[in-house]
């Protein structure tokens, strides 16, 4: 081994140290570089994996979107089919009913020959049942439209007192036939913005129900009260009343009370469900309660101007100012 | 010319319905011609120039709406009033009838009184 001394030695030592330092740096750089390379490869791999994941996610999203679009198309198609079906059914029922009704009329008016009493009686029965069937078909079709959310109101300012008077008058013969006294009380007039035809339908329904369920000798009372913002109509009867456990179901479609089923009172169980839908679409409310000691009272509350239909009001009538 | 009773065209593919309408209208003193589908209705209208046309909507071939449109678009037949007979009841269906140019409509199942009243009103309006 050779030993160096003196200043030359110091210079050489520094040079060696410098070289060593450079080597060390080089080594460390190389090592770092290697590490970086590894890191970079890892990053690249991760990126590739992420890209693949993203592609997969996009593909899934695309597939889901396509599936949804298909499903949507199918639902729209089904909706169209249902509409077409209802239209077809209404045609298939209403045309024969038109024929039956008109031929019966010609016979009953003795336009094609005179009738003896049994013939007239039988034809009257046929006519009554035709009317019943007609109402049933109309109820079913209206109910289908309500369920689809397709019932439209044509509102206008009108006198509910007048509508009520018409309903009471047209129920007169049925009340007389049933031996039920039909009375009206409260306000004579009370105006509100409503779909006149539909509200008439609700009142017809409540009054004819009341008559149907009231035994001979009983009475049906119709009451009207108007105020600045609401109108209250109450139809009460002295019938058997509704069992406590059945009151809650009265407005359920197709629901029939045990009494109605036992006594075979005609009806579809749709009248009250339809009435409820009509009243509620006016922004009103309908309810039933048991009366003391017997009977039932139905109450309809209608806003004087239906909130939901306000813009409609101006469109159809401009009735409010 | 002379006071010949008005001539009414009745188009309905259902024979039973057609027959009772014809019976009712003839009983009321009108003269009646018939058609069982849309094309026949058009031919009858152009040939006989009726005073009123009663057209059912759902007929084979051309519907009542289509017949109405053709009649109203042709100068020779544009003045014939049209009443649409319809078993449909949706507002959209009625709007379609009026858009085609119909003057009035009667919903099935109609009563004999309603048919008579609407026909009379339409003829008087002319």
């Amino acid at each position: 081994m050779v030993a160096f001394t003196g200043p030359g030695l110091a210079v050489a030592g520094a040079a060696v140290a410098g070289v060593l330092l450079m080597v060390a740096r080089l080594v460390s750089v190389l090592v770092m570089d290697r590490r970086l390379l590894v890191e970079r490869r890892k990053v690249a791999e991760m990126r590739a994996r992420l890209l693949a994941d993203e592609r997969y996610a996009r593909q899934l999203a695309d597939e889901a979107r396509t599936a949804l679009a298909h499903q949507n198309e199918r639902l729209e198609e089904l909706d169209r089919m249902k509409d077409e079906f209802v239209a077809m059914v209404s045609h298939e029922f209403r045309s024969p009913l038109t024929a039956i009704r008109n031929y019966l009329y010609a016979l009953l008016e003795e336009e094609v020959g005179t009738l003896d009493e049994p013939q007239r009686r039988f034809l009257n029965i046929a006519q009554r049942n035709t009317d019943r069937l007609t109402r049933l078909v109309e109820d079913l079709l209206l109910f289908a439209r309500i369920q689809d959310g397709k019932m439209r109101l044509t509102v206008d300012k009108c006198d509910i007192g007048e509508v009520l008077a018409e309903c009471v008058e047209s129920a007169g013969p049925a009340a007389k036939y049933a031996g039920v006294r039909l009375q009206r009380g409260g306000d004579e007039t009370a105006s509100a913005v409503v779909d006149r035809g539909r509200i008439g339908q609700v009142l017809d329904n409540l009054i004819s129900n009341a008559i149907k369920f009231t035994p001979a000798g009983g009475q049906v009372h119709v009451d009207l009260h108007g105020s600045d913002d609401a109108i209250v109509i109450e139809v009460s009867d002295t019938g058997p009343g509704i069992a406590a456990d059945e009151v809650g179901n009265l407005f359920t479609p197709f629901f029939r009370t045990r009494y109605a089923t036992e006594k075979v009172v005609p009806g579809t169980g749709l009248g009250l469900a339809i009435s409820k839908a009509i009243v509620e679409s006016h922004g009103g409310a309908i309810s039933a309660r048991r009366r003391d000691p017997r009977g039932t009272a139905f109450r309809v509350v209608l806003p004087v101007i239906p909130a939901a239909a306000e813009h409609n009001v101006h469109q159809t009538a401009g009735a409010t100012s | 010319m002379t006071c010949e009773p008005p001539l009414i065209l009745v188009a309905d593919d259902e024979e039973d319905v057609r027959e009772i309408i014809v019976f009712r209208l003839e009983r009321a003193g009108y003269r009646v011609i018939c058609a069982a589908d849309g094309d026949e209705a058009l031919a009858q209208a152009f040939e006989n120039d009726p005073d009123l046309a009663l057209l059912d909507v759902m007929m084979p071939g051309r519907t009542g709406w289509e017949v109405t449109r053709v009649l109203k678009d042709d100068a020779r037949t544009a003045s014939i009033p049209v009443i649409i007979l319809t078993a449909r009841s949706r507002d959209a269906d009625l709007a379609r009838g009026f858009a085609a140019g119909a003057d009035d409509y009667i919903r099935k199942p109609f009563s004999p009184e309603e048919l008579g009243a609407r026909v009379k009103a339409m003829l008087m309006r002319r």
Side-chain angles (χ1 to χ4, degrees), chain A residues 83-84 90-91 94-95 98 101-103 105 111 134 145 152, chain B residues 14 16 19 23-24 27 58 87 89 91 108-110 112-113:
Chain A
D83 273 7
E84 217 24 67
S90 56
H91 181 259
R94 283 171 175 156
S95 283
T98 306
R101 214 170 154 183
N102 281 267
Y103 283 100
Y105 180 92
E111 291 174 343
T134 305
R145 273 161 74 201
R152 290 243 180 82
Chain B
E14 296 202 38
D16 293 346
E19 187 182 332
F23 171 84
R24 175 80 29 232
R27 217 185 138 74
M58 302 240 248
S89 63
D91 298 335
K108 290 180 179 177
F110 52 81
E113 291 100 328

PDB file of all heavy atoms in Angstrom, chain A residues 83-84 90-91 94-95 98 101-103 105 111 134 145 152, chain B residues 14 16 19 23-24 27 58 87 89 91 108-110 112-113:
ATOM      1  N   ASP A  83    -104.891   3.331 -24.251  1.00  0.00           N
ATOM      2  CA  ASP A  83    -105.798   4.372 -24.753  1.00  0.00           C
ATOM      3  C   ASP A  83    -106.649   3.843 -25.892  1.00  0.00           C
ATOM      4  O   ASP A  83    -107.858   4.036 -25.938  1.00  0.00           O
ATOM      5  CB  ASP A  83    -104.979   5.557 -25.300  1.00  0.00           C
ATOM      6  CG  ASP A  83    -104.651   6.532 -24.197  1.00  0.00           C
ATOM      7  OD1 ASP A  83    -104.949   6.203 -23.031  1.00  0.00           O
ATOM      8  OD2 ASP A  83    -104.092   7.595 -24.501  1.00  0.00           O
ATOM      9  N   GLU A  84    -105.968   3.158 -26.808  1.00  0.00           N
ATOM     10  CA  GLU A  84    -106.652   2.622 -27.977  1.00  0.00           C
ATOM     11  C   GLU A  84    -107.671   1.579 -27.543  1.00  0.00           C
ATOM     12  O   GLU A  84    -108.773   1.517 -28.066  1.00  0.00           O
ATOM     13  CB  GLU A  84    -105.597   2.006 -28.926  1.00  0.00           C
ATOM     14  CG  GLU A  84    -105.852   2.175 -30.395  1.00  0.00           C
ATOM     15  CD  GLU A  84    -106.735   3.369 -30.768  1.00  0.00           C
ATOM     16  OE1 GLU A  84    -106.335   4.536 -30.598  1.00  0.00           O
ATOM     17  OE2 GLU A  84    -107.861   3.105 -31.227  1.00  0.00           O
ATOM     18  N   SER A  90    -115.040   1.452 -25.673  1.00  0.00           N
ATOM     19  CA  SER A  90    -116.158   2.383 -25.588  1.00  0.00           C
ATOM     20  C   SER A  90    -116.992   2.317 -26.861  1.00  0.00           C
ATOM     21  O   SER A  90    -118.213   2.366 -26.816  1.00  0.00           O
ATOM     22  CB  SER A  90    -115.674   3.806 -25.300  1.00  0.00           C
ATOM     23  OG  SER A  90    -114.755   4.220 -26.261  1.00  0.00           O
ATOM     24  N   HIS A  91    -116.329   2.160 -27.993  1.00  0.00           N
ATOM     25  CA  HIS A  91    -117.062   2.040 -29.247  1.00  0.00           C
ATOM     26  C   HIS A  91    -117.882   0.755 -29.262  1.00  0.00           C
ATOM     27  O   HIS A  91    -119.060   0.755 -29.594  1.00  0.00           O
ATOM     28  CB  HIS A  91    -116.083   2.051 -30.426  1.00  0.00           C
ATOM     29  CG  HIS A  91    -116.759   1.967 -31.748  1.00  0.00           C
ATOM     30  ND1 HIS A  91    -116.832   0.793 -32.467  1.00  0.00           N
ATOM     31  CD2 HIS A  91    -117.415   2.890 -32.465  1.00  0.00           C
ATOM     32  CE1 HIS A  91    -117.512   1.025 -33.581  1.00  0.00           C
ATOM     33  NE2 HIS A  91    -117.865   2.280 -33.615  1.00  0.00           N
ATOM     34  N   ARG A  94    -120.832   1.245 -26.788  1.00  0.00           N
ATOM     35  CA  ARG A  94    -121.787   2.330 -27.006  1.00  0.00           C
ATOM     36  C   ARG A  94    -122.614   2.140 -28.271  1.00  0.00           C
ATOM     37  O   ARG A  94    -123.765   2.552 -28.303  1.00  0.00           O
ATOM     38  CB  ARG A  94    -121.059   3.668 -27.064  1.00  0.00           C
ATOM     39  CG  ARG A  94    -120.653   4.153 -25.676  1.00  0.00           C
ATOM     40  CD  ARG A  94    -119.773   5.338 -25.802  1.00  0.00           C
ATOM     41  NE  ARG A  94    -119.448   5.916 -24.503  1.00  0.00           N
ATOM     42  CZ  ARG A  94    -118.371   6.636 -24.283  1.00  0.00           C
ATOM     43  NH1 ARG A  94    -117.524   6.862 -25.259  1.00  0.00           N
ATOM     44  NH2 ARG A  94    -118.129   7.140 -23.097  1.00  0.00           N
ATOM     45  N   SER A  95    -122.041   1.543 -29.300  1.00  0.00           N
ATOM     46  CA  SER A  95    -122.817   1.381 -30.533  1.00  0.00           C
ATOM     47  C   SER A  95    -124.008   0.447 -30.332  1.00  0.00           C
ATOM     48  O   SER A  95    -125.132   0.815 -30.673  1.00  0.00           O
ATOM     49  CB  SER A  95    -121.926   0.917 -31.678  1.00  0.00           C
ATOM     50  OG  SER A  95    -121.189   2.028 -32.140  1.00  0.00           O
ATOM     51  N   THR A  98    -126.629   2.191 -28.360  1.00  0.00           N
ATOM     52  CA  THR A  98    -127.364   3.158 -29.182  1.00  0.00           C
ATOM     53  C   THR A  98    -128.506   2.455 -29.891  1.00  0.00           C
ATOM     54  O   THR A  98    -129.645   2.933 -29.903  1.00  0.00           O
ATOM     55  CB  THR A  98    -126.437   3.764 -30.263  1.00  0.00           C
ATOM     56  OG1 THR A  98    -125.294   4.282 -29.623  1.00  0.00           O
ATOM     57  CG2 THR A  98    -127.137   4.864 -31.032  1.00  0.00           C
ATOM     58  N   ARG A 101    -131.295   1.186 -27.343  1.00  0.00           N
ATOM     59  CA  ARG A 101    -132.032   2.313 -26.798  1.00  0.00           C
ATOM     60  C   ARG A 101    -133.027   2.880 -27.817  1.00  0.00           C
ATOM     61  O   ARG A 101    -134.174   3.175 -27.479  1.00  0.00           O
ATOM     62  CB  ARG A 101    -131.004   3.385 -26.453  1.00  0.00           C
ATOM     63  CG  ARG A 101    -131.360   4.196 -25.263  1.00  0.00           C
ATOM     64  CD  ARG A 101    -130.168   5.017 -24.893  1.00  0.00           C
ATOM     65  NE  ARG A 101    -130.626   6.192 -24.205  1.00  0.00           N
ATOM     66  CZ  ARG A 101    -129.831   7.155 -23.802  1.00  0.00           C
ATOM     67  NH1 ARG A 101    -128.543   7.095 -24.048  1.00  0.00           N
ATOM     68  NH2 ARG A 101    -130.309   8.181 -23.158  1.00  0.00           N
ATOM     69  N   ASN A 102    -132.561   3.035 -29.037  1.00  0.00           N
ATOM     70  CA  ASN A 102    -133.401   3.649 -30.054  1.00  0.00           C
ATOM     71  C   ASN A 102    -134.515   2.723 -30.540  1.00  0.00           C
ATOM     72  O   ASN A 102    -135.612   3.180 -30.834  1.00  0.00           O
ATOM     73  CB  ASN A 102    -132.545   4.143 -31.227  1.00  0.00           C
ATOM     74  CG  ASN A 102    -131.859   5.467 -30.899  1.00  0.00           C
ATOM     75  OD1 ASN A 102    -132.390   6.525 -31.192  1.00  0.00           O
ATOM     76  ND2 ASN A 102    -130.695   5.417 -30.264  1.00  0.00           N
ATOM     77  N   TYR A 103    -134.240   1.423 -30.624  1.00  0.00           N
ATOM     78  CA  TYR A 103    -135.307   0.485 -31.028  1.00  0.00           C
ATOM     79  C   TYR A 103    -136.364   0.397 -29.928  1.00  0.00           C
ATOM     80  O   TYR A 103    -137.558   0.366 -30.196  1.00  0.00           O
ATOM     81  CB  TYR A 103    -134.727  -0.907 -31.342  1.00  0.00           C
ATOM     82  CG  TYR A 103    -134.049  -0.967 -32.695  1.00  0.00           C
ATOM     83  CD1 TYR A 103    -132.668  -0.876 -32.795  1.00  0.00           C
ATOM     84  CD2 TYR A 103    -134.793  -1.090 -33.868  1.00  0.00           C
ATOM     85  CE1 TYR A 103    -132.044  -0.908 -34.028  1.00  0.00           C
ATOM     86  CE2 TYR A 103    -134.175  -1.128 -35.107  1.00  0.00           C
ATOM     87  CZ  TYR A 103    -132.800  -1.036 -35.191  1.00  0.00           C
ATOM     88  OH  TYR A 103    -132.192  -1.054 -36.402  1.00  0.00           O
ATOM     89  N   TYR A 105    -137.162   2.673 -27.823  1.00  0.00           N
ATOM     90  CA  TYR A 105    -137.930   3.914 -27.855  1.00  0.00           C
ATOM     91  C   TYR A 105    -139.032   3.826 -28.914  1.00  0.00           C
ATOM     92  O   TYR A 105    -140.188   4.164 -28.646  1.00  0.00           O
ATOM     93  CB  TYR A 105    -136.992   5.079 -28.162  1.00  0.00           C
ATOM     94  CG  TYR A 105    -137.673   6.425 -28.233  1.00  0.00           C
ATOM     95  CD1 TYR A 105    -137.772   7.235 -27.098  1.00  0.00           C
ATOM     96  CD2 TYR A 105    -138.201   6.900 -29.434  1.00  0.00           C
ATOM     97  CE1 TYR A 105    -138.378   8.474 -27.152  1.00  0.00           C
ATOM     98  CE2 TYR A 105    -138.822   8.146 -29.501  1.00  0.00           C
ATOM     99  CZ  TYR A 105    -138.906   8.928 -28.357  1.00  0.00           C
ATOM    100  OH  TYR A 105    -139.497  10.154 -28.425  1.00  0.00           O
ATOM    101  N   GLU A 111    -144.534   3.423 -32.246  1.00  0.00           N
ATOM    102  CA  GLU A 111    -144.310   3.915 -33.608  1.00  0.00           C
ATOM    103  C   GLU A 111    -144.416   2.786 -34.627  1.00  0.00           C
ATOM    104  O   GLU A 111    -144.485   3.036 -35.821  1.00  0.00           O
ATOM    105  CB  GLU A 111    -142.933   4.593 -33.702  1.00  0.00           C
ATOM    106  CG  GLU A 111    -142.859   5.896 -32.918  1.00  0.00           C
ATOM    107  CD  GLU A 111    -141.477   6.507 -32.890  1.00  0.00           C
ATOM    108  OE1 GLU A 111    -140.488   5.810 -33.186  1.00  0.00           O
ATOM    109  OE2 GLU A 111    -141.386   7.693 -32.557  1.00  0.00           O
ATOM    110  N   THR A 134    -125.924   1.349 -19.560  1.00  0.00           N
ATOM    111  CA  THR A 134    -125.310   2.554 -20.110  1.00  0.00           C
ATOM    112  C   THR A 134    -124.526   3.291 -19.018  1.00  0.00           C
ATOM    113  O   THR A 134    -123.382   3.690 -19.225  1.00  0.00           O
ATOM    114  CB  THR A 134    -126.393   3.502 -20.683  1.00  0.00           C
ATOM    115  OG1 THR A 134    -127.156   2.769 -21.635  1.00  0.00           O
ATOM    116  CG2 THR A 134    -125.775   4.713 -21.359  1.00  0.00           C
ATOM    117  N   ARG A 145    -110.374   6.699 -17.209  1.00  0.00           N
ATOM    118  CA  ARG A 145    -109.732   7.968 -17.528  1.00  0.00           C
ATOM    119  C   ARG A 145    -109.182   8.644 -16.280  1.00  0.00           C
ATOM    120  O   ARG A 145    -108.109   9.240 -16.311  1.00  0.00           O
ATOM    121  CB  ARG A 145    -110.724   8.893 -18.225  1.00  0.00           C
ATOM    122  CG  ARG A 145    -110.743   8.667 -19.726  1.00  0.00           C
ATOM    123  CD  ARG A 145    -111.980   9.193 -20.360  1.00  0.00           C
ATOM    124  NE  ARG A 145    -112.005  10.634 -20.443  1.00  0.00           N
ATOM    125  CZ  ARG A 145    -113.122  11.341 -20.591  1.00  0.00           C
ATOM    126  NH1 ARG A 145    -114.265  10.719 -20.643  1.00  0.00           N
ATOM    127  NH2 ARG A 145    -113.071  12.626 -20.688  1.00  0.00           N
ATOM    128  N   ARG A 152    -110.434  15.708 -17.673  1.00  0.00           N
ATOM    129  CA  ARG A 152    -110.240  17.162 -17.774  1.00  0.00           C
ATOM    130  C   ARG A 152    -111.479  17.872 -17.255  1.00  0.00           C
ATOM    131  O   ARG A 152    -112.583  17.434 -17.489  1.00  0.00           O
ATOM    132  CB  ARG A 152    -110.047  17.554 -19.239  1.00  0.00           C
ATOM    133  CG  ARG A 152    -108.756  17.102 -19.798  1.00  0.00           C
ATOM    134  CD  ARG A 152    -107.903  18.314 -20.208  1.00  0.00           C
ATOM    135  NE  ARG A 152    -106.639  17.860 -20.753  1.00  0.00           N
ATOM    136  CZ  ARG A 152    -106.502  17.454 -22.010  1.00  0.00           C
ATOM    137  NH1 ARG A 152    -107.540  17.471 -22.810  1.00  0.00           N
ATOM    138  NH2 ARG A 152    -105.349  17.043 -22.448  1.00  0.00           N
TER     139      ARG A 152
ATOM    140  N   GLU B  14    -122.507   0.254 -39.005  1.00  0.00           N
ATOM    141  CA  GLU B  14    -123.339  -0.721 -38.296  1.00  0.00           C
ATOM    142  C   GLU B  14    -124.777  -0.624 -38.783  1.00  0.00           C
ATOM    143  O   GLU B  14    -125.460   0.374 -38.551  1.00  0.00           O
ATOM    144  CB  GLU B  14    -123.254  -0.481 -36.798  1.00  0.00           C
ATOM    145  CG  GLU B  14    -121.836  -0.729 -36.323  1.00  0.00           C
ATOM    146  CD  GLU B  14    -121.741  -1.026 -34.848  1.00  0.00           C
ATOM    147  OE1 GLU B  14    -122.642  -1.719 -34.321  1.00  0.00           O
ATOM    148  OE2 GLU B  14    -120.769  -0.571 -34.236  1.00  0.00           O
ATOM    149  N   ASP B  16    -127.546  -2.022 -37.903  1.00  0.00           N
ATOM    150  CA  ASP B  16    -128.628  -1.857 -36.924  1.00  0.00           C
ATOM    151  C   ASP B  16    -128.793  -0.397 -36.516  1.00  0.00           C
ATOM    152  O   ASP B  16    -129.907   0.091 -36.347  1.00  0.00           O
ATOM    153  CB  ASP B  16    -128.335  -2.711 -35.675  1.00  0.00           C
ATOM    154  CG  ASP B  16    -128.392  -4.203 -35.997  1.00  0.00           C
ATOM    155  OD1 ASP B  16    -128.902  -4.552 -37.074  1.00  0.00           O
ATOM    156  OD2 ASP B  16    -127.903  -4.988 -35.168  1.00  0.00           O
ATOM    157  N   GLU B  19    -130.164   1.599 -39.575  1.00  0.00           N
ATOM    158  CA  GLU B  19    -131.591   1.378 -39.843  1.00  0.00           C
ATOM    159  C   GLU B  19    -132.481   2.199 -38.911  1.00  0.00           C
ATOM    160  O   GLU B  19    -133.461   2.796 -39.345  1.00  0.00           O
ATOM    161  CB  GLU B  19    -131.918  -0.119 -39.706  1.00  0.00           C
ATOM    162  CG  GLU B  19    -133.343  -0.425 -40.149  1.00  0.00           C
ATOM    163  CD  GLU B  19    -133.715  -1.901 -39.983  1.00  0.00           C
ATOM    164  OE1 GLU B  19    -132.812  -2.752 -40.053  1.00  0.00           O
ATOM    165  OE2 GLU B  19    -134.903  -2.180 -39.784  1.00  0.00           O
ATOM    166  N   PHE B  23    -135.008   5.163 -39.878  1.00  0.00           N
ATOM    167  CA  PHE B  23    -136.408   5.069 -39.433  1.00  0.00           C
ATOM    168  C   PHE B  23    -136.841   6.370 -38.750  1.00  0.00           C
ATOM    169  O   PHE B  23    -137.880   6.946 -39.066  1.00  0.00           O
ATOM    170  CB  PHE B  23    -136.546   3.883 -38.465  1.00  0.00           C
ATOM    171  CG  PHE B  23    -137.881   3.803 -37.785  1.00  0.00           C
ATOM    172  CD1 PHE B  23    -138.974   3.199 -38.411  1.00  0.00           C
ATOM    173  CD2 PHE B  23    -138.049   4.332 -36.505  1.00  0.00           C
ATOM    174  CE1 PHE B  23    -140.206   3.126 -37.771  1.00  0.00           C
ATOM    175  CE2 PHE B  23    -139.288   4.264 -35.869  1.00  0.00           C
ATOM    176  CZ  PHE B  23    -140.366   3.661 -36.497  1.00  0.00           C
ATOM    177  N   ARG B  24    -135.997   6.833 -37.835  1.00  0.00           N
ATOM    178  CA  ARG B  24    -136.308   8.031 -37.051  1.00  0.00           C
ATOM    179  C   ARG B  24    -136.416   9.264 -37.958  1.00  0.00           C
ATOM    180  O   ARG B  24    -137.342  10.058 -37.848  1.00  0.00           O
ATOM    181  CB  ARG B  24    -135.203   8.202 -35.993  1.00  0.00           C
ATOM    182  CG  ARG B  24    -135.216   9.413 -35.143  1.00  0.00           C
ATOM    183  CD  ARG B  24    -136.179   9.381 -33.964  1.00  0.00           C
ATOM    184  NE  ARG B  24    -136.447   8.071 -33.446  1.00  0.00           N
ATOM    185  CZ  ARG B  24    -137.689   7.600 -33.265  1.00  0.00           C
ATOM    186  NH1 ARG B  24    -138.727   8.343 -33.549  1.00  0.00           N
ATOM    187  NH2 ARG B  24    -137.872   6.383 -32.804  1.00  0.00           N
ATOM    188  N   ARG B  27    -139.392   9.132 -40.346  1.00  0.00           N
ATOM    189  CA  ARG B  27    -140.595   9.375 -39.548  1.00  0.00           C
ATOM    190  C   ARG B  27    -140.787  10.861 -39.296  1.00  0.00           C
ATOM    191  O   ARG B  27    -141.901  11.359 -39.204  1.00  0.00           O
ATOM    192  CB  ARG B  27    -140.452   8.645 -38.214  1.00  0.00           C
ATOM    193  CG  ARG B  27    -141.741   8.070 -37.732  1.00  0.00           C
ATOM    194  CD  ARG B  27    -141.603   7.460 -36.381  1.00  0.00           C
ATOM    195  NE  ARG B  27    -142.772   7.817 -35.598  1.00  0.00           N
ATOM    196  CZ  ARG B  27    -143.969   7.280 -35.792  1.00  0.00           C
ATOM    197  NH1 ARG B  27    -144.136   6.342 -36.696  1.00  0.00           N
ATOM    198  NH2 ARG B  27    -145.003   7.675 -35.069  1.00  0.00           N
ATOM    199  N   MET B  58    -115.950   5.893 -36.574  1.00  0.00           N
ATOM    200  CA  MET B  58    -115.215   4.651 -36.830  1.00  0.00           C
ATOM    201  C   MET B  58    -115.894   3.847 -37.932  1.00  0.00           C
ATOM    202  O   MET B  58    -116.796   3.054 -37.664  1.00  0.00           O
ATOM    203  CB  MET B  58    -115.137   3.825 -35.556  1.00  0.00           C
ATOM    204  CG  MET B  58    -114.472   4.577 -34.415  1.00  0.00           C
ATOM    205  SD  MET B  58    -113.010   3.758 -33.824  1.00  0.00           S
ATOM    206  CE  MET B  58    -113.453   3.236 -32.209  1.00  0.00           C
ATOM    207  N   ALA B  87    -118.732   7.366 -30.821  1.00  0.00           N
ATOM    208  CA  ALA B  87    -118.793   6.545 -29.614  1.00  0.00           C
ATOM    209  C   ALA B  87    -117.599   6.861 -28.733  1.00  0.00           C
ATOM    210  O   ALA B  87    -117.452   6.333 -27.652  1.00  0.00           O
ATOM    211  CB  ALA B  87    -118.793   5.072 -29.987  1.00  0.00           C
ATOM    212  N   SER B  89    -115.352   9.580 -26.491  1.00  0.00           N
ATOM    213  CA  SER B  89    -115.825  10.712 -25.700  1.00  0.00           C
ATOM    214  C   SER B  89    -114.696  11.596 -25.210  1.00  0.00           C
ATOM    215  O   SER B  89    -114.925  12.580 -24.541  1.00  0.00           O
ATOM    216  CB  SER B  89    -116.621  10.202 -24.514  1.00  0.00           C
ATOM    217  OG  SER B  89    -115.764   9.447 -23.704  1.00  0.00           O
ATOM    218  N   ASP B  91    -111.953  14.405 -24.993  1.00  0.00           N
ATOM    219  CA  ASP B  91    -111.941  15.764 -25.542  1.00  0.00           C
ATOM    220  C   ASP B  91    -111.115  15.821 -26.819  1.00  0.00           C
ATOM    221  O   ASP B  91    -111.470  16.490 -27.770  1.00  0.00           O
ATOM    222  CB  ASP B  91    -111.375  16.740 -24.513  1.00  0.00           C
ATOM    223  CG  ASP B  91    -112.244  16.772 -23.269  1.00  0.00           C
ATOM    224  OD1 ASP B  91    -113.433  16.449 -23.393  1.00  0.00           O
ATOM    225  OD2 ASP B  91    -111.745  17.123 -22.193  1.00  0.00           O
ATOM    226  N   LYS B 108    -122.617   8.813 -28.875  1.00  0.00           N
ATOM    227  CA  LYS B 108    -123.341   7.558 -28.666  1.00  0.00           C
ATOM    228  C   LYS B 108    -123.140   7.148 -27.212  1.00  0.00           C
ATOM    229  O   LYS B 108    -122.062   7.371 -26.679  1.00  0.00           O
ATOM    230  CB  LYS B 108    -122.796   6.474 -29.588  1.00  0.00           C
ATOM    231  CG  LYS B 108    -123.138   6.700 -31.050  1.00  0.00           C
ATOM    232  CD  LYS B 108    -122.548   5.564 -31.877  1.00  0.00           C
ATOM    233  CE  LYS B 108    -122.878   5.745 -33.352  1.00  0.00           C
ATOM    234  NZ  LYS B 108    -122.262   4.685 -34.167  1.00  0.00           N
ATOM    235  N   PRO B 109    -124.099   6.542 -26.551  1.00  0.00           N
ATOM    236  CA  PRO B 109    -125.420   6.211 -27.088  1.00  0.00           C
ATOM    237  C   PRO B 109    -126.357   7.414 -26.984  1.00  0.00           C
ATOM    238  O   PRO B 109    -126.629   7.860 -25.884  1.00  0.00           O
ATOM    239  CB  PRO B 109    -125.872   5.078 -26.166  1.00  0.00           C
ATOM    240  CG  PRO B 109    -125.135   5.293 -24.884  1.00  0.00           C
ATOM    241  CD  PRO B 109    -123.894   6.051 -25.191  1.00  0.00           C
ATOM    242  N   PHE B 110    -126.853   7.898 -28.113  1.00  0.00           N
ATOM    243  CA  PHE B 110    -127.734   9.054 -28.090  1.00  0.00           C
ATOM    244  C   PHE B 110    -129.178   8.619 -27.966  1.00  0.00           C
ATOM    245  O   PHE B 110    -129.535   7.468 -28.239  1.00  0.00           O
ATOM    246  CB  PHE B 110    -127.541   9.914 -29.340  1.00  0.00           C
ATOM    247  CG  PHE B 110    -127.650   9.141 -30.623  1.00  0.00           C
ATOM    248  CD1 PHE B 110    -128.888   8.825 -31.163  1.00  0.00           C
ATOM    249  CD2 PHE B 110    -126.498   8.733 -31.298  1.00  0.00           C
ATOM    250  CE1 PHE B 110    -128.980   8.118 -32.350  1.00  0.00           C
ATOM    251  CE2 PHE B 110    -126.594   8.018 -32.485  1.00  0.00           C
ATOM    252  CZ  PHE B 110    -127.830   7.707 -33.005  1.00  0.00           C
ATOM    253  N   PRO B 112    -133.251   9.173 -29.072  1.00  0.00           N
ATOM    254  CA  PRO B 112    -133.949   9.613 -30.282  1.00  0.00           C
ATOM    255  C   PRO B 112    -134.266  11.105 -30.224  1.00  0.00           C
ATOM    256  O   PRO B 112    -134.180  11.795 -31.230  1.00  0.00           O
ATOM    257  CB  PRO B 112    -135.238   8.785 -30.270  1.00  0.00           C
ATOM    258  CG  PRO B 112    -134.949   7.626 -29.392  1.00  0.00           C
ATOM    259  CD  PRO B 112    -133.956   8.076 -28.384  1.00  0.00           C
ATOM    260  N   GLU B 113    -134.595  11.595 -29.025  1.00  0.00           N
ATOM    261  CA  GLU B 113    -134.923  13.016 -28.885  1.00  0.00           C
ATOM    262  C   GLU B 113    -133.724  13.880 -29.243  1.00  0.00           C
ATOM    263  O   GLU B 113    -133.847  14.891 -29.923  1.00  0.00           O
ATOM    264  CB  GLU B 113    -135.345  13.347 -27.445  1.00  0.00           C
ATOM    265  CG  GLU B 113    -136.674  12.749 -27.023  1.00  0.00           C
ATOM    266  CD  GLU B 113    -136.504  11.497 -26.201  1.00  0.00           C
ATOM    267  OE1 GLU B 113    -135.521  10.766 -26.450  1.00  0.00           O
ATOM    268  OE2 GLU B 113    -137.336  11.245 -25.315  1.00  0.00           O
TER     269      GLU B 113
END
